[in-house]
Amino acid sequence: MKLTVYCWSLMCLILRSQAGVVDDFSQVDRCKDFLYMGTPPRGYLSTSLKKICQRYVDKPRFVTLYDPQKHIPIYSAYTFKKSDGEKRVDIPWMFEPQLATDKGSSNMEPFPQSSLMHKNFEDTQAVLEDYVDVVQYERGQMSPDEHQVDPLDKAATYTLTNVVPLIREFNFGPWSTQLEVTRKRLNNYCHGKAYVITGVTTSGNMIRRDNLDRVAIPEFMWTAYCCSDYDHNAPYSERYKFPAFGAYGLNDRVNNHMVEVPIKNLEKFLKGKMEVDKNFQIFYSDCVSDA
């Protein structure tokens, strides 16, 4: 049902503001739900980054901080759902209309079949052609299909605004293993809501197409979770990794093992790799409850 057909102009504006490209995640109710305490990571210095409330079939599914110049997400933030780790294989890749024009749909949409149509929005985001002739790279999801249960939540992860180029050996090796480790840990020991943020650092390497820099290649991938309601009787080997923990790994064929670290250690590592200020923080109050 299209509520916007029957609403007053102010209500239409409110409904439209619930998704698509927004000014502030924390000011949009259904978007801030994917962030611990409704607060996004702080400290990013760039003013050109776009905040996308990733909306699919008229419902926000997760949020992404997107770089329209490097054509990659800087991070995606989502709420983990207890899952069996299966992936969907029947979903067409999608794009974000509102990155191309503020008059665009606030829902992600499948790429048009005609590649000529892709030129209408390739200035602001990656398109399918960017990944065609780069066999060494896989489309790595920042908010992964495997961490969702609802078929529509899983489908929403298949937008190129949620994807970065990962070296095949890293994607199918250490990175996939880390996603599974996190999935099992949160499945088994997180009793409440788990907030996850996955991001990248870059060092200037790009996928090129038609002699143009098109898509930034991550140097490191990192991920962190926050679950304040967890099993205090879990084995110590798992319990000390709550309420929050992180991991990072080099996006390469070799020396690409994942390193699990406390949140403070991850933040310290990332400060040396990203354009952030000294107050950079992944989770509000480092996921330490005031209670």
Side-chain angles (χ1 to χ4, degrees):
M1 183 174 68
K2 294 186 177 179
L3 295 174
T4 50
V5 173
Y6 304 102
C7 63
W8 289 287
S9 58
L10 177 59
M11 183 57 70
C12 286
L13 182 64
I14 292 172
L15 287 171
R16 186 172 181 80
S17 74
Q18 288 180 343
V21 177
V22 299
D23 291 330
D24 186 347
F25 290 138
S26 62
Q27 298 301 314
V28 184
D29 284 344
R30 294 172 69 192
C31 301
K32 69 180 182 182
D33 292 345
F34 303 107
L35 301 160
Y36 177 65
M37 301 298 287
T39 305
R42 73 178 187 204
Y44 284 92
L45 294 174
S46 174
T47 58
S48 63
L49 304 177
K50 299 293 185 181
K51 300 176 181 69
I52 306 174
C53 190
Q54 299 277 18
R55 179 170 165 137
Y56 180 65
V57 192
D58 295 326
K59 180 181 175 183
R61 308 288 171 171
F62 61 99
V63 298
T64 298
L65 185 67
Y66 193 80
D67 190 326
Q69 297 168 342
K70 295 179 179 178
H71 299 153
I72 59 167
I74 300 302
Y75 68 72
S76 283
Y78 60 97
T79 50
F80 172 86
K81 312 300 190 306
K82 293 191 175 185
S83 69
D84 59 11
E86 293 296 313
K87 288 180 72 75
R88 291 196 68 171
V89 294
D90 58 343
I91 300 300
W93 286 101
M94 293 177 276
F95 73 104
E96 176 54 60
Q98 284 200 345
L99 280 177
T101 169
D102 57 9
K103 295 182 177 63
S105 168
S106 58
N107 280 301
M108 58 181 76
E109 295 180 352
F111 278 93
Q113 290 198 343
S114 168
S115 60
L116 290 176
M117 293 288 289
H118 299 177
K119 294 185 181 300
N120 294 335
F121 42 81
E122 68 178 8
D123 285 349
T124 56
Q125 58 197 291
V127 294
L128 295 172
E129 289 76 15
D130 293 322
Y131 285 90
V132 168
D133 295 320
V134 285
V135 294
Q136 69 270 43
Y137 296 107
E138 293 289 325
R139 286 171 272 202
Q141 294 173 315
M142 308 277 270
S143 173
D145 174 358
E146 302 97 310
H147 286 186
Q148 301 298 326
V149 174
D150 182 280
L152 296 182
D153 286 343
K154 293 172 81 68
T157 65
Y158 289 87
T159 167
L160 285 194
T161 55
N162 181 47
V163 160
V164 293
L166 296 184
I167 293 282
R168 286 180 62 89
E169 291 85 346
F170 176 68
N171 185 52
F172 291 124
W175 184 248
S176 291
T177 299
Q178 184 63 46
L179 291 178
E180 181 66 0
V181 165
T182 300
R183 184 187 72 82
K184 288 182 176 178
R185 184 178 297 150
L186 296 178
N187 266 0
N188 292 334
Y189 304 116
C190 180
H191 292 167
K193 184 177 285 189
Y195 301 88
V196 186
I197 300 178
T198 296
V200 300
T201 75
T202 59
S203 60
N205 294 327
M206 303 284 290
I207 288 177
R208 291 175 62 83
R209 177 167 61 87
D210 299 332
N211 293 317
L212 295 173
D213 285 342
R214 284 294 305 160
V215 181
I217 301 166
E219 180 183 21
F220 284 90
M221 288 288 287
W222 62 269
T223 185
Y225 61 81
C226 164
C227 170
S228 57
D229 180 8
Y230 61 94
D231 184 355
H232 289 263
N233 294 316
Y236 178 75
S237 60
E238 297 293 327
R239 190 170 71 247
Y240 84 90
K241 295 173 182 173
F242 286 92
F245 221 63
Y248 64 89
L250 183 67
N251 180 32
D252 205 342
R253 291 181 177 82
V254 295
N255 301 320
N256 58 9
H257 62 285
M258 295 296 296
V259 181
E260 283 203 296
V261 291
I263 293 296
K264 284 289 190 185
N265 297 44
L266 178 59
E267 289 169 347
K268 182 178 180 180
F269 173 79
L270 294 175
K271 284 177 187 177
K273 297 287 183 182
M274 303 193 309
E275 293 180 23
V276 293
D277 64 29
K278 67 182 189 311
N279 296 315
F280 173 67
Q281 188 174 62
I282 296 172
F283 295 114
Y284 175 83
S285 193
D286 292 326
C287 189
V288 177
S289 174
D290 293 333

